[in-house]
Short mmCIF file of all heavy atoms in Angstrom, two decimals:
data_model
loop_
_atom_site.label_atom_id
_atom_site.label_comp_id
_atom_site.label_asym_id
_atom_site.label_seq_id
_atom_site.Cartn_x
_atom_site.Cartn_y
_atom_site.Cartn_z
N MET S 1 0.80 -1.22 0.01
CA MET S 1 -0.01 -0.02 0.00
C MET S 1 0.82 1.25 -0.06
O MET S 1 0.44 2.24 -0.53
CB MET S 1 -0.89 -0.05 1.15
CG MET S 1 -1.99 0.99 1.28
SD MET S 1 -3.21 0.59 -0.01
CE MET S 1 -4.53 1.71 0.39
N LYS S 2 2.07 1.26 0.54
CA LYS S 2 3.00 2.33 0.62
C LYS S 2 3.36 2.83 -0.74
O LYS S 2 3.42 3.93 -1.01
CB LYS S 2 4.19 2.00 1.40
CG LYS S 2 5.17 3.14 1.63
CD LYS S 2 6.26 2.76 2.46
CE LYS S 2 7.30 3.85 2.62
NZ LYS S 2 8.44 3.56 3.42
N GLY S 3 3.75 1.86 -1.67
CA GLY S 3 4.11 2.25 -2.91
C GLY S 3 3.12 2.56 -4.02
O GLY S 3 3.27 2.91 -5.12
N LEU S 4 1.77 2.53 -3.48
CA LEU S 4 0.70 2.77 -4.35
C LEU S 4 0.52 4.19 -4.90
O LEU S 4 0.30 4.41 -6.05
CB LEU S 4 -0.67 2.33 -3.68
CG LEU S 4 -1.92 2.39 -4.50
CD1 LEU S 4 -1.82 1.49 -5.65
CD2 LEU S 4 -3.05 2.13 -3.59
N PHE S 5 0.81 5.19 -4.07
CA PHE S 5 0.83 6.53 -4.37
C PHE S 5 2.18 7.23 -4.43
O PHE S 5 2.39 8.36 -4.04
CB PHE S 5 -0.10 7.28 -3.37
CG PHE S 5 -1.57 6.90 -3.37
CD1 PHE S 5 -2.07 6.01 -2.37
CD2 PHE S 5 -2.32 7.16 -4.45
CE1 PHE S 5 -3.27 5.63 -2.36
CE2 PHE S 5 -3.61 6.72 -4.54
CZ PHE S 5 -4.13 5.98 -3.46
N ASN S 6 3.19 6.51 -5.07
CA ASN S 6 4.58 7.02 -5.18
C ASN S 6 4.61 7.65 -6.52
O ASN S 6 4.73 6.97 -7.53
CB ASN S 6 5.47 5.88 -4.98
CG ASN S 6 6.93 6.32 -4.94
OD1 ASN S 6 7.20 7.56 -4.94
ND2 ASN S 6 7.88 5.47 -4.79
N PHE S 7 4.68 9.03 -6.51
CA PHE S 7 4.63 9.72 -7.78
C PHE S 7 6.01 10.31 -8.08
O PHE S 7 6.20 11.22 -8.91
CB PHE S 7 3.64 10.82 -7.78
CG PHE S 7 2.25 10.40 -7.83
CD1 PHE S 7 1.47 10.48 -6.65
CD2 PHE S 7 1.64 9.78 -8.98
CE1 PHE S 7 0.18 10.09 -6.73
CE2 PHE S 7 0.42 9.37 -8.96
CZ PHE S 7 -0.36 9.52 -7.85
N THR S 8 7.03 9.83 -7.48
CA THR S 8 8.45 10.38 -7.75
C THR S 8 8.87 10.24 -9.08
O THR S 8 9.59 11.13 -9.67
CB THR S 8 9.47 9.80 -6.62
OG1 THR S 8 9.44 8.42 -6.82
CG2 THR S 8 9.11 10.23 -5.21
N GLU S 9 8.73 9.10 -9.64
CA GLU S 9 9.17 8.85 -11.10
C GLU S 9 8.33 9.78 -12.03
O GLU S 9 9.03 10.24 -13.02
CB GLU S 9 8.97 7.47 -11.43
CG GLU S 9 9.89 6.52 -10.71
CD GLU S 9 9.88 5.17 -11.34
OE1 GLU S 9 9.72 4.97 -12.63
OE2 GLU S 9 10.19 4.10 -10.59
N VAL S 10 7.16 10.06 -11.75
CA VAL S 10 6.44 10.90 -12.58
C VAL S 10 6.92 12.41 -12.49
O VAL S 10 7.12 13.03 -13.50
CB VAL S 10 4.87 11.00 -12.19
CG1 VAL S 10 4.07 12.02 -12.96
CG2 VAL S 10 4.25 9.65 -12.41
N PHE S 11 7.09 12.88 -11.32
CA PHE S 11 7.69 14.27 -11.16
C PHE S 11 9.18 14.34 -11.59
O PHE S 11 9.49 15.36 -12.16
CB PHE S 11 7.56 14.67 -9.75
CG PHE S 11 6.08 14.81 -9.27
CD1 PHE S 11 5.60 14.13 -8.19
CD2 PHE S 11 5.24 15.57 -10.05
CE1 PHE S 11 4.36 14.28 -7.79
CE2 PHE S 11 3.92 15.73 -9.70
CZ PHE S 11 3.41 15.04 -8.52
N THR S 12 9.98 13.29 -11.49
CA THR S 12 11.32 13.42 -11.84
C THR S 12 11.48 13.32 -13.42
O THR S 12 12.37 13.87 -13.98
CB THR S 12 12.20 12.33 -11.30
OG1 THR S 12 11.69 11.06 -11.54
CG2 THR S 12 12.31 12.51 -9.78
N TYR S 13 10.40 12.88 -14.10
CA TYR S 13 10.36 12.90 -15.56
C TYR S 13 10.33 14.24 -16.08
O TYR S 13 10.93 14.49 -17.22
CB TYR S 13 9.08 12.05 -16.07
CG TYR S 13 9.09 11.93 -17.50
CD1 TYR S 13 9.91 11.00 -18.18
CD2 TYR S 13 8.17 12.65 -18.25
CE1 TYR S 13 9.85 10.85 -19.58
CE2 TYR S 13 8.10 12.55 -19.65
CZ TYR S 13 8.90 11.61 -20.29
OH TYR S 13 8.88 11.42 -21.61
N PHE S 14 9.84 15.22 -15.44
CA PHE S 14 9.67 16.58 -15.94
C PHE S 14 10.95 17.34 -15.65
O PHE S 14 11.21 18.31 -16.24
CB PHE S 14 8.50 17.29 -15.27
CG PHE S 14 7.21 16.79 -15.79
CD1 PHE S 14 6.50 15.89 -15.06
CD2 PHE S 14 6.63 17.22 -17.12
CE1 PHE S 14 5.25 15.40 -15.45
CE2 PHE S 14 5.44 16.72 -17.47
CZ PHE S 14 4.73 15.90 -16.70
N PHE S 15 11.82 16.83 -14.77
CA PHE S 15 12.96 17.65 -14.29
C PHE S 15 14.29 16.96 -14.56
O PHE S 15 15.33 17.24 -13.83
CB PHE S 15 12.79 18.06 -12.84
CG PHE S 15 11.61 18.91 -12.52
CD1 PHE S 15 10.54 18.27 -11.88
CD2 PHE S 15 11.40 20.06 -13.04
CE1 PHE S 15 9.42 19.06 -11.55
CE2 PHE S 15 10.27 20.88 -12.83
CZ PHE S 15 9.30 20.26 -12.05
N ARG S 16 14.27 16.08 -15.53
CA ARG S 16 15.58 15.37 -15.84
C ARG S 16 16.49 16.39 -16.58
O ARG S 16 16.05 17.14 -17.40
CB ARG S 16 15.33 14.21 -16.79
CG ARG S 16 14.77 13.01 -16.02
CD ARG S 16 14.74 11.84 -17.06
NE ARG S 16 13.69 10.98 -16.66
CZ ARG S 16 13.23 9.97 -17.45
NH1 ARG S 16 13.75 9.94 -18.70
NH2 ARG S 16 12.33 9.17 -17.04
N LYS S 17 17.80 16.10 -16.36
CA LYS S 17 18.70 16.84 -17.16
C LYS S 17 19.04 16.09 -18.38
O LYS S 17 18.88 14.93 -18.58
CB LYS S 17 20.12 16.96 -16.33
CG LYS S 17 19.93 17.79 -15.16
CD LYS S 17 21.33 17.97 -14.47
CE LYS S 17 21.14 18.93 -13.27
NZ LYS S 17 22.45 19.12 -12.64
N LYS S 18 19.30 16.93 -19.49
CA LYS S 18 19.57 16.38 -20.77
C LYS S 18 20.97 15.64 -20.76
O LYS S 18 21.92 16.09 -20.18
CB LYS S 18 19.60 17.50 -21.82
CG LYS S 18 18.44 18.34 -21.89
CD LYS S 18 17.40 17.87 -22.83
CE LYS S 18 16.28 18.87 -22.96
NZ LYS S 18 15.01 18.30 -22.90
N ASP S 19 21.01 14.42 -21.34
CA ASP S 19 22.23 13.73 -21.54
C ASP S 19 23.01 14.21 -22.73
O ASP S 19 22.57 14.12 -23.79
CB ASP S 19 21.86 12.24 -21.68
CG ASP S 19 23.07 11.33 -21.64
OD1 ASP S 19 24.27 11.87 -21.29
OD2 ASP S 19 23.02 10.11 -22.01
N PRO S 20 24.14 14.88 -22.52
CA PRO S 20 24.90 15.42 -23.68
C PRO S 20 25.41 14.29 -24.65
O PRO S 20 25.75 14.65 -25.72
CB PRO S 20 26.01 16.19 -22.93
CG PRO S 20 26.17 15.52 -21.73
CD PRO S 20 24.85 15.11 -21.25
N ASN S 21 25.49 13.13 -24.24
CA ASN S 21 26.05 12.14 -25.07
C ASN S 21 25.03 11.49 -26.00
O ASN S 21 25.37 10.80 -26.92
CB ASN S 21 26.72 10.97 -24.17
CG ASN S 21 27.93 11.49 -23.39
OD1 ASN S 21 28.61 12.32 -23.88
ND2 ASN S 21 28.10 10.99 -22.22
N ARG S 22 23.79 11.68 -25.74
CA ARG S 22 22.70 11.13 -26.43
C ARG S 22 22.24 12.08 -27.58
O ARG S 22 22.07 13.25 -27.37
CB ARG S 22 21.46 10.79 -25.60
CG ARG S 22 20.32 10.24 -26.33
CD ARG S 22 19.20 9.92 -25.38
NE ARG S 22 19.54 8.59 -24.81
CZ ARG S 22 18.72 7.94 -23.98
NH1 ARG S 22 17.63 8.47 -23.64
NH2 ARG S 22 19.03 6.80 -23.43
N LYS S 23 22.17 11.52 -28.79
CA LYS S 23 21.67 12.36 -29.92
C LYS S 23 20.13 12.51 -29.78
O LYS S 23 19.41 11.60 -29.35
CB LYS S 23 21.96 11.60 -31.25
CG LYS S 23 23.42 11.66 -31.64
CD LYS S 23 23.63 11.00 -32.93
CE LYS S 23 25.03 10.93 -33.27
NZ LYS S 23 25.36 10.39 -34.56
N THR S 24 19.71 13.70 -30.05
CA THR S 24 18.20 13.85 -30.14
C THR S 24 17.79 14.25 -31.53
O THR S 24 18.48 14.76 -32.28
CB THR S 24 17.82 15.06 -29.20
OG1 THR S 24 18.42 16.30 -29.61
CG2 THR S 24 18.18 14.78 -27.76
N ASN S 25 16.62 13.73 -31.77
CA ASN S 25 16.06 14.13 -33.12
C ASN S 25 14.54 14.52 -32.96
O ASN S 25 14.06 14.47 -31.70
CB ASN S 25 16.16 12.96 -34.05
CG ASN S 25 15.38 11.63 -33.56
OD1 ASN S 25 14.65 11.75 -32.61
ND2 ASN S 25 15.68 10.56 -34.19
N PHE S 26 13.85 14.88 -33.89
CA PHE S 26 12.56 15.39 -33.88
C PHE S 26 11.57 14.44 -33.26
O PHE S 26 10.78 14.77 -32.46
CB PHE S 26 12.12 15.85 -35.14
CG PHE S 26 10.62 16.40 -35.18
CD1 PHE S 26 10.34 17.71 -34.67
CD2 PHE S 26 9.71 15.62 -35.75
CE1 PHE S 26 9.09 18.05 -34.63
CE2 PHE S 26 8.36 16.11 -35.76
CZ PHE S 26 8.08 17.36 -35.15
N ASN S 27 11.75 13.19 -33.70
CA ASN S 27 10.79 12.16 -33.25
C ASN S 27 10.92 11.92 -31.78
O ASN S 27 9.90 11.76 -31.04
CB ASN S 27 10.96 10.84 -33.95
CG ASN S 27 10.51 11.00 -35.52
OD1 ASN S 27 9.82 11.70 -35.84
ND2 ASN S 27 11.40 10.13 -36.28
N LEU S 28 12.10 11.87 -31.26
CA LEU S 28 12.38 11.62 -29.76
C LEU S 28 11.76 12.81 -29.07
O LEU S 28 11.16 12.59 -27.95
CB LEU S 28 13.83 11.41 -29.53
CG LEU S 28 14.16 10.96 -28.14
CD1 LEU S 28 13.53 9.63 -27.79
CD2 LEU S 28 15.66 10.92 -27.96
N ARG S 29 12.05 13.95 -29.37
CA ARG S 29 11.56 15.19 -28.64
C ARG S 29 9.97 15.23 -28.78
O ARG S 29 9.47 15.55 -27.72
CB ARG S 29 12.13 16.50 -29.25
CG ARG S 29 13.53 16.67 -28.87
CD ARG S 29 13.96 17.95 -29.40
NE ARG S 29 13.79 18.06 -30.82
CZ ARG S 29 14.14 18.89 -31.67
NH1 ARG S 29 14.92 19.84 -31.30
NH2 ARG S 29 13.97 18.86 -32.95
N THR S 30 9.37 14.87 -29.89
CA THR S 30 7.97 14.85 -30.00
C THR S 30 7.35 13.77 -29.10
O THR S 30 6.33 14.03 -28.42
CB THR S 30 7.59 14.63 -31.50
OG1 THR S 30 8.24 15.54 -32.31
CG2 THR S 30 6.11 14.67 -31.65
N MET S 31 7.99 12.67 -29.01
CA MET S 31 7.49 11.60 -28.16
C MET S 31 7.49 12.07 -26.65
O MET S 31 6.50 11.82 -25.99
CB MET S 31 8.23 10.35 -28.25
CG MET S 31 7.86 9.26 -27.46
SD MET S 31 8.98 7.83 -27.28
CE MET S 31 10.29 8.58 -26.40
N HIS S 32 8.57 12.62 -26.22
CA HIS S 32 8.66 13.08 -24.84
C HIS S 32 7.76 14.19 -24.58
O HIS S 32 7.06 14.24 -23.46
CB HIS S 32 10.09 13.55 -24.52
CG HIS S 32 11.00 12.32 -24.35
ND1 HIS S 32 10.89 11.46 -23.28
CD2 HIS S 32 12.05 11.90 -24.99
CE1 HIS S 32 11.84 10.62 -23.34
NE2 HIS S 32 12.58 10.78 -24.44
N THR S 33 7.50 15.05 -25.56
CA THR S 33 6.45 16.14 -25.28
C THR S 33 5.10 15.52 -25.24
O THR S 33 4.34 15.96 -24.29
CB THR S 33 6.55 17.15 -26.50
OG1 THR S 33 7.82 17.68 -26.63
CG2 THR S 33 5.60 18.28 -26.31
N ILE S 34 4.76 14.53 -26.04
CA ILE S 34 3.40 14.02 -25.90
C ILE S 34 3.22 13.23 -24.66
O ILE S 34 2.10 13.26 -24.07
CB ILE S 34 3.13 13.13 -27.24
CG1 ILE S 34 3.08 13.89 -28.47
CG2 ILE S 34 1.93 12.18 -27.00
CD1 ILE S 34 3.09 13.16 -29.81
N ASN S 35 4.29 12.53 -24.23
CA ASN S 35 4.16 11.90 -22.88
C ASN S 35 4.01 12.89 -21.78
O ASN S 35 3.21 12.57 -20.87
CB ASN S 35 5.47 11.06 -22.70
CG ASN S 35 5.58 9.84 -23.53
OD1 ASN S 35 4.66 9.35 -24.07
ND2 ASN S 35 6.81 9.28 -23.59
N LYS S 36 4.67 13.89 -21.79
CA LYS S 36 4.47 14.97 -20.70
C LYS S 36 3.07 15.53 -20.74
O LYS S 36 2.47 15.75 -19.74
CB LYS S 36 5.48 16.07 -20.93
CG LYS S 36 6.92 15.63 -20.52
CD LYS S 36 8.00 16.72 -20.81
CE LYS S 36 9.33 16.21 -20.44
NZ LYS S 36 10.35 17.19 -20.70
N ILE S 37 2.51 15.76 -21.89
CA ILE S 37 1.20 16.27 -21.98
C ILE S 37 0.23 15.18 -21.46
O ILE S 37 -0.73 15.58 -20.76
CB ILE S 37 0.89 16.72 -23.41
CG1 ILE S 37 1.62 17.97 -23.78
CG2 ILE S 37 -0.65 16.97 -23.59
CD1 ILE S 37 1.54 18.33 -25.30
N SER S 38 0.44 14.00 -21.87
CA SER S 38 -0.57 12.91 -21.46
C SER S 38 -0.47 12.69 -19.97
O SER S 38 -1.54 12.45 -19.29
CB SER S 38 -0.27 11.69 -22.22
OG SER S 38 0.93 11.10 -21.86
N ILE S 39 0.68 12.75 -19.29
CA ILE S 39 0.85 12.62 -17.87
C ILE S 39 0.07 13.75 -17.14
O ILE S 39 -0.62 13.57 -16.19
CB ILE S 39 2.34 12.63 -17.45
CG1 ILE S 39 2.96 11.25 -17.93
CG2 ILE S 39 2.50 12.77 -15.92
CD1 ILE S 39 4.46 11.22 -17.75
N LEU S 40 0.25 15.02 -17.60
CA LEU S 40 -0.42 16.18 -17.07
C LEU S 40 -1.95 16.05 -17.21
O LEU S 40 -2.67 16.39 -16.21
CB LEU S 40 0.09 17.47 -17.72
CG LEU S 40 1.48 17.90 -17.34
CD1 LEU S 40 1.92 19.15 -18.12
CD2 LEU S 40 1.65 18.18 -15.86
N MET S 41 -2.40 15.64 -18.35
CA MET S 41 -3.86 15.52 -18.56
C MET S 41 -4.38 14.37 -17.66
O MET S 41 -5.43 14.50 -17.06
CB MET S 41 -4.14 15.17 -19.98
CG MET S 41 -3.83 16.35 -20.93
SD MET S 41 -4.84 17.70 -20.52
CE MET S 41 -6.50 17.15 -20.95
N PHE S 42 -3.68 13.30 -17.46
CA PHE S 42 -4.08 12.19 -16.54
C PHE S 42 -4.15 12.66 -15.04
O PHE S 42 -5.14 12.37 -14.45
CB PHE S 42 -3.16 10.99 -16.71
CG PHE S 42 -3.49 9.94 -15.70
CD1 PHE S 42 -4.54 9.04 -15.86
CD2 PHE S 42 -2.66 9.74 -14.56
CE1 PHE S 42 -4.83 8.04 -15.05
CE2 PHE S 42 -2.90 8.75 -13.63
CZ PHE S 42 -4.04 7.91 -13.90
N LEU S 43 -3.16 13.42 -14.73
CA LEU S 43 -3.11 13.89 -13.29
C LEU S 43 -4.34 14.89 -13.08
O LEU S 43 -4.93 14.92 -12.01
CB LEU S 43 -1.80 14.51 -12.89
CG LEU S 43 -0.64 13.54 -12.89
CD1 LEU S 43 0.66 14.25 -12.59
CD2 LEU S 43 -1.03 12.55 -11.68
N ALA S 44 -4.51 15.73 -14.04
CA ALA S 44 -5.64 16.77 -14.01
C ALA S 44 -7.00 15.98 -13.90
O ALA S 44 -7.92 16.41 -13.12
CB ALA S 44 -5.60 17.70 -15.18
N GLY S 45 -7.13 14.97 -14.71
CA GLY S 45 -8.39 14.19 -14.66
C GLY S 45 -8.47 13.47 -13.25
O GLY S 45 -9.69 13.40 -12.81
N MET S 46 -7.48 13.02 -12.80
CA MET S 46 -7.56 12.28 -11.43
C MET S 46 -7.86 13.36 -10.43
O MET S 46 -8.70 13.05 -9.45
CB MET S 46 -6.24 11.60 -11.07
CG MET S 46 -5.96 10.33 -12.04
SD MET S 46 -7.15 9.12 -11.77
CE MET S 46 -6.99 8.61 -10.16
N ILE S 47 -7.38 14.54 -10.40
CA ILE S 47 -7.60 15.59 -9.38
C ILE S 47 -9.12 15.90 -9.58
O ILE S 47 -9.80 16.06 -8.64
CB ILE S 47 -6.72 16.79 -9.61
CG1 ILE S 47 -5.27 16.38 -9.10
CG2 ILE S 47 -7.23 17.85 -8.81
CD1 ILE S 47 -4.23 17.40 -9.54
N TYR S 48 -9.60 16.15 -10.82
CA TYR S 48 -11.00 16.47 -10.98
C TYR S 48 -11.90 15.29 -10.52
O TYR S 48 -12.95 15.62 -9.87
CB TYR S 48 -11.20 16.63 -12.53
CG TYR S 48 -12.76 16.79 -12.96
CD1 TYR S 48 -13.34 18.05 -12.62
CD2 TYR S 48 -13.51 15.85 -13.49
CE1 TYR S 48 -14.64 18.23 -12.90
CE2 TYR S 48 -14.73 15.98 -13.80
CZ TYR S 48 -15.43 17.21 -13.48
OH TYR S 48 -16.64 17.32 -13.73
N PHE S 49 -11.48 14.10 -10.84
CA PHE S 49 -12.34 12.94 -10.37
C PHE S 49 -12.41 12.98 -8.81
O PHE S 49 -13.47 12.66 -8.18
CB PHE S 49 -11.75 11.66 -10.81
CG PHE S 49 -12.46 10.45 -10.45
CD1 PHE S 49 -13.69 10.06 -11.15
CD2 PHE S 49 -12.01 9.60 -9.46
CE1 PHE S 49 -14.38 8.99 -10.76
CE2 PHE S 49 -12.71 8.45 -9.19
CZ PHE S 49 -13.90 8.08 -9.73
N ILE S 50 -11.27 13.16 -8.20
CA ILE S 50 -11.27 13.15 -6.66
C ILE S 50 -12.10 14.27 -6.08
O ILE S 50 -12.88 14.03 -5.19
CB ILE S 50 -9.80 13.23 -6.14
CG1 ILE S 50 -9.17 11.90 -6.47
CG2 ILE S 50 -9.77 13.47 -4.72
CD1 ILE S 50 -7.61 11.83 -6.28
N ILE S 51 -11.96 15.48 -6.73
CA ILE S 51 -12.67 16.62 -6.20
C ILE S 51 -14.14 16.46 -6.41
O ILE S 51 -15.05 16.80 -5.62
CB ILE S 51 -12.24 17.85 -6.80
CG1 ILE S 51 -10.79 18.23 -6.21
CG2 ILE S 51 -13.17 19.12 -6.65
CD1 ILE S 51 -10.13 19.40 -6.98
N LYS S 52 -14.54 15.91 -7.58
CA LYS S 52 -15.97 15.61 -7.93
C LYS S 52 -16.67 14.77 -6.91
O LYS S 52 -17.80 14.90 -6.60
CB LYS S 52 -16.02 15.14 -9.26
CG LYS S 52 -17.52 14.91 -9.85
CD LYS S 52 -17.40 14.34 -11.25
CE LYS S 52 -18.80 13.96 -11.68
NZ LYS S 52 -18.76 13.32 -12.99
N HIS S 53 -15.94 13.66 -6.43
CA HIS S 53 -16.52 12.65 -5.51
C HIS S 53 -16.35 12.97 -4.12
O HIS S 53 -16.81 12.28 -3.34
CB HIS S 53 -15.83 11.31 -5.84
CG HIS S 53 -16.42 10.70 -7.08
ND1 HIS S 53 -16.29 11.27 -8.36
CD2 HIS S 53 -17.15 9.52 -7.25
CE1 HIS S 53 -16.91 10.40 -9.18
NE2 HIS S 53 -17.41 9.41 -8.57
N ILE S 54 -15.81 14.16 -3.76
CA ILE S 54 -15.67 14.52 -2.36
C ILE S 54 -16.80 15.37 -2.03
O ILE S 54 -17.59 15.75 -2.37
CB ILE S 54 -14.23 15.29 -2.06
CG1 ILE S 54 -13.20 14.26 -2.22
CG2 ILE S 54 -14.35 15.98 -0.80
CD1 ILE S 54 -11.84 14.87 -1.92
#
């Protein structure tokens, strides 16, 4: 039950430092941008759901 609400990996995804040794291209940047938007939308939906049911 302790690890059920562990959001540290979600929050650290937004604040990672760029790896200078890794090449970046448009597809990779687009994928990460879409992932960040989907995580934010999911969290907003969960907050809305919780507030609605309280």
Side-chain angles (χ1 to χ4, degrees):
M1 191 72 169
K2 182 180 178 182
L4 186 62
F5 295 106
N6 188 2
F7 292 108
T8 55
E9 289 191 32
V10 173
F11 292 126
T12 56
Y13 182 75
F14 289 99
F15 302 111
R16 284 189 204 164
K17 291 186 179 182
K18 306 267 189 228
D19 186 7
N21 297 327
R22 177 178 279 183
K23 292 183 179 180
T24 59
N25 58 15
F26 177 75
N27 292 333
L28 188 61
R29 285 184 305 194
T30 305
M31 180 193 70
H32 284 292
T33 302
I34 292 171
N35 284 344
K36 289 177 183 179
I37 292 170
S38 65
I39 289 170
L40 288 175
M41 292 299 292
F42 175 76
L43 291 175
M46 290 300 294
I47 291 169
Y48 174 76
F49 181 76
I50 290 169
I51 291 173
K52 182 179 170 185
H53 281 63
I54 288 181

